[in-house]
Amino acid sequence: MVAKPIFRTCGFTGLKIHDEAEKLIKINAVTAIVVLAVGGLFGLLVALTRWPTVHLLPADLFYLALTAHGIDILIVWCIFFEVALMYFASAILLQSRLATPKMGWVAYALMVLGAGITNWKVLEGNSSVMMTSYVPMQADPLFYVGLILFAVGALIACFIFLGTLVVAKAEKTYEGSIPLVTFGALTACIIAIYTISSGAIILIPTFLWSVGLISHIDPLMYKVVWWGMGHSSQQINVAAHIAVWYAIAAILFGAKPLSEKVSRCAYLTYIFFLQIASAHHLLVEPGLSSAFKIFNTSYGMYLAVLGSMIHGLTVPGCIEAAQRKKGFNNGLFEWLRKAPWGNPIFSGMFLSLILFGFLGGISGVTMGVEQINIMIHNTIYVPGHFHATVAAGTTLAFMAITYFLVPVLFGRELILPGLAKLQPYLFGLGMGVFSLFMMGAGTLGVSRRHWDMAFSDAPHAFAHAPAAFLMMGIVGVAACVAVVGGALFVLVIVGSVLFGKPVVHAPAAPAPAPSPVASYGNAEHVAVPGTFALALLFLTVFVLYYFVNWKYLASTWIMS
Amino acid sequence: MSITPPEQKVWFNEPVEKTEVIWVLIALTWALIMFAMMPLWHLKGTQNMSNEAYRIQPDVYQARVDAFVEKFKVGEEGHAKTPVVRPPAGSDVYMMARLWEWYPVLELEKGKSYRLHLSSLDWQHGFSVQPANINLQVHPGIDEVVTITPTDSGDFGIICNEYCGIGHHTMLGKIRVVAGK
């Protein structure tokens, strides 16, 4: 029955690659990139509408485009790519066969079908309910069906990943513990299983409600459970893109973790604490007690934030250590200056790290404070934050690793190397400026998910500060820069896959034997003063920004 | 490397880099400070979320709002002729959300406290007082009570910032804060 797994040896890395796993990684990654292109186009339409002087779309199409953009980018693009990453981190990194590849195709088909149905219903125009689809606002029943099918497919992919870990262990394709990157993917997988279950618990009754079999869904209960999926799904991204950071550090620099223990424990904090993070979407919700909010706010006593702050040190730290061992030892930052800034794999990864930390991380923790959230909830600050995390952080990291995967899996050289070099800067910096000015406009009270910040046709008059209009204009320009960066990515990658020159390898080196686990001690204990200085700079910015927001809060109306 | 198995069989026994220990301690301290800020602000700060909310039927809420408007109405405003209501300081005041209006216009006195009731008759809405930048979520079926004390006078817009359908952007209300006598 079961065909004997076929392997090839990669001429690029010497890794043993399972044929079926490779096909599944390719198809999931390619689909992800197609969805990124479609979702990005919707994003451009949204940005051009929120740019006050352009104000492109009419209201109904704007909300339609916003719903499609949110679902396609925040869910479909990220999860398709993460499925590819999970297969890569299990089958390829452990040099094992992929468990049940046939189920992998079933999972893929379900995800494509689900995403297709949901997109179809959104494009029909009767399901512009935003990604959150809060009840009692109702979408077409098939809108929910599509999301459920997609989730079931993703869930199957998670179990294939877990199955592959079991297979690799049983067939002894490696010794000792799984690699750190696989450990990160496992973290993402565990969070994904929790997330998808939470989604099923809320979306199935919501579907039944939409076809009239259930008469009422409590809006508050919907929100509590929905966010168990909504925010946790973004924590899958965080765990996955941090795994990508570690992978790129290892691939480009041969970097070893400063210490396996610290990096892995930081991942464990995600598993233990991130899930209850979801409550920070409910900080200004009536009917939930402050005690509940404070406990859950920012992930049960900030322990998961601690995890992220640790990765923020250990990822650049391991690069610094590797660079210093190569002799880039002058001063605090020679290791960083002499890094390969012209290589999109590195520049994308490092910009992702910086933007995710400084913009996404600091803003996320600050707005996760129960009281400060009063000033931020549902303003455009919120999309400012999550574009810094998901677009400048996750998406950019995924782009960076794609530049590595194309030659390895597709055996093609990159076309247009000059544009590829420029791409992470356009996308990353465009997204950085975009996020920053959205946060600025949100601080001035501009709403998210809002067609007309000038309130034409409203029964009363209100004008935002002129600075808010200026900032939204800058947001529009920066969005265009980022879209150019995104389009270049799609062009270079799709072009390379179709038309790239086949990679010519030196005779393939034999696969490196999985390293023996007997050797003693790991960290070479190279000091990493440059990274520590960067971490202190980060902390200083964090502390200042945090207390500035408290000061700002203290100046608004008194309330209790 | 991060893409190969750790060198020790039990990764937990691997040695820890010194910089990491220092950073973990710094980060943990900062996390504890941030955690302490929220309960402290409940004790010392003057902007806190209310914990008062009741289940209510939309029609019951609407009846209360209507009675409130009738009792304290002083005029009408805007092209929808929204009633302007001037309740006495310290009293219970009502704001009702529905597609796509905030009802009524409230006239409050600067520096005086009011028990503000918020609820929706249909979908979820977002109560965003600008430019004071106070943003609260409004639910159908829940009567949320927040004690507010406006600290500036002037006209404040109430923007709906929770998406509620095609007319969402026209859902703009008003609170007027007048200087005390």
Side-chain angles (χ1 to χ4, degrees), chain A residues 36 51 72 77 138 146 265 340 493 541:
Chain A
L36 177 69
W51 183 348
D72 283 345
W77 141 253
Q138 202 173 59
C265 285
I493 297 302
V541 174

Side-chain angles (χ1 to χ4, degrees), chain A residues 33 109 167 219 249 276 373 470:
Chain A
I33 290 169
V167 166
I276 47 182
N373 194 258
L470 176 66

Side-chain angles (χ1 to χ4, degrees), chain A residues 181 218 223 256 259 261 285 290 309 314 370-371 374 377-378 443 449 517 521-522 556 558-560, chain B residues 2 7 12 14-15 20 23 38 42 46 48 51 55 124 132-133 135 137 139 147 149 162-163 168 172:
Chain A
V181 171
D218 183 67
K223 260 183 141 161
K256 282 182 176 181
S259 43
K261 181 151 104 182
E285 219 68 31
S290 283
M309 287 177 75
T314 56
E370 191 205 8
Q371 293 93 340
I374 293 171
H377 179 78
N378 268 353
T443 304
R449 298 173 170 175
V517 286
N522 76 328
T556 192
I558 295 168
M559 54 189 295
S560 60
Chain B
S2 313
E7 290 174 17
F12 200 79
E14 293 216 351
E20 287 179 309
W23 179 245
M38 287 181 287
H42 271 281
T46 51
N48 284 295
N51 281 316
R55 290 270 169 199
Q124 295 189 34
N133 212 5
N135 303 277
Q137 193 78 27
H139 273 256
T147 304
T149 313
E162 184 62 77
Y163 172 68
H168 173 47
L172 185 73

Side-chain angles (χ1 to χ4, degrees), chain A residues 208-288:
Chain A
L208 295 175
W209 166 75
S210 73
V211 293
L213 293 173
I214 289 179
S215 67
H216 176 76
I217 301 266
D218 183 67
L220 187 57
M221 186 49 72
Y222 174 93
K223 260 183 141 161
V224 171
V225 185
W226 194 93
W227 279 111
M229 168 180 74
H231 204 93
S232 311
S233 69
Q234 303 317 311
Q235 314 300 355
I236 311 173
N237 300 343
V238 174
H241 80 227
I242 291 174
V244 166
W245 293 347
Y246 280 116
I248 289 176
I251 289 163
L252 291 183
F253 300 96
K256 282 182 176 181
L258 294 176
S259 43
E260 296 274 359
K261 181 151 104 182
V262 171
S263 295
R264 285 170 197 246
C265 285
Y267 270 123
L268 288 179
T269 67
Y270 289 169
I271 296 178
F272 293 142
F273 304 105
L274 270 182
Q275 270 72 357
I276 47 182
S278 314
H280 66 237
H281 287 267
L282 311 168
L283 292 174
V284 297
E285 219 68 31
L288 297 171

